[in-house]
Amino acid sequence: MKKSILLGLSPALLLLIAVGCQKENITPSASSNHSFTTKAQVNNLRVWHDNGKQPGVDGVDYGCWSTGGNCLPDVIVTPKLSQSLTAFAFSSSQAGYASANYSTLSSVISTSVLDGVIGGELVVSIRGSITATAPGYLTFTAHNQDIKAVYPFKTN
């Protein structure tokens, strides 16, 4: 009888021990030194290329190719969201625009990148137009001209 009770309690005890020993999730504190991409992301991302020719041809004069960069995968957005992204890039107050439209923009742009714009660490610009046939690229650049992230967007 004692043996069957112990055998019945063993799985429950193991479960309690396993749950009790799980590591605690620690959220890093906010700082002004944002990490906009992780090392794992960089290995899977394409490289942003831009020879500066205006207006240029997507895939020839500018675009994302190769690996190991800061250019994220293409994202398909609605025409309405496309207009919002374009307005963000052309806004005279990008920090204000990002704050006012945070929930909409954060559906397709990392919150750390948006926080960088709001904090004045990053500036957004657009290369090309967001259409169904070719992507428009939102680039997020630090004040030292280092491009931190590139988001290619197409419409559906």
Side-chain angles (χ1 to χ4, degrees), residues 12-150:
L13 286 173
L14 288 174
L15 180 63
L16 284 173
I17 291 170
V19 170
C21 293
Q22 285 183 346
K23 289 185 177 180
E24 187 177 321
N25 288 335
I26 300 171
T27 305
S29 62
S31 77
S32 62
N33 191 6
H34 292 288
S35 175
F36 301 107
T37 55
T38 64
K39 287 184 181 182
Q41 281 180 317
V42 169
N43 290 334
N44 294 326
L45 302 180
R46 297 167 293 166
V47 177
W48 170 248
H49 298 276
D50 189 348
N51 69 9
K53 184 174 179 183
Q54 296 291 337
V57 178
D58 175 37
V60 176
D61 300 310
Y62 62 91
C64 297
W65 53 83
S66 291
T67 58
N70 56 359
C71 193
L72 284 91
D74 292 3
V75 176
I76 306 297
V77 296
T78 64
K80 184 177 179 179
L81 184 52
S82 168
Q83 292 171 348
S84 184
L85 293 165
T86 301
F88 178 33
F90 287 115
S91 175
S92 60
S93 173
Q94 293 178 343
Y97 192 94
S99 292
N101 298 283
Y102 197 86
S103 63
T104 300
L105 295 172
S106 66
S107 67
V108 291
I109 299 172
S110 164
T111 56
S112 65
V113 170
L114 290 175
D115 292 343
V117 173
I118 293 168
E121 298 171 40
L122 297 176
V123 175
V124 62
S125 61
I126 190 166
R127 187 77 154 103
S129 297
I130 302 171
T131 66
T133 56
Y137 300 89
L138 262 62
T139 59
F140 294 86
T141 308
H143 294 289
N144 65 359
Q145 303 305 311
D146 186 24
I147 296 176
K148 297 296 183 178
V150 178

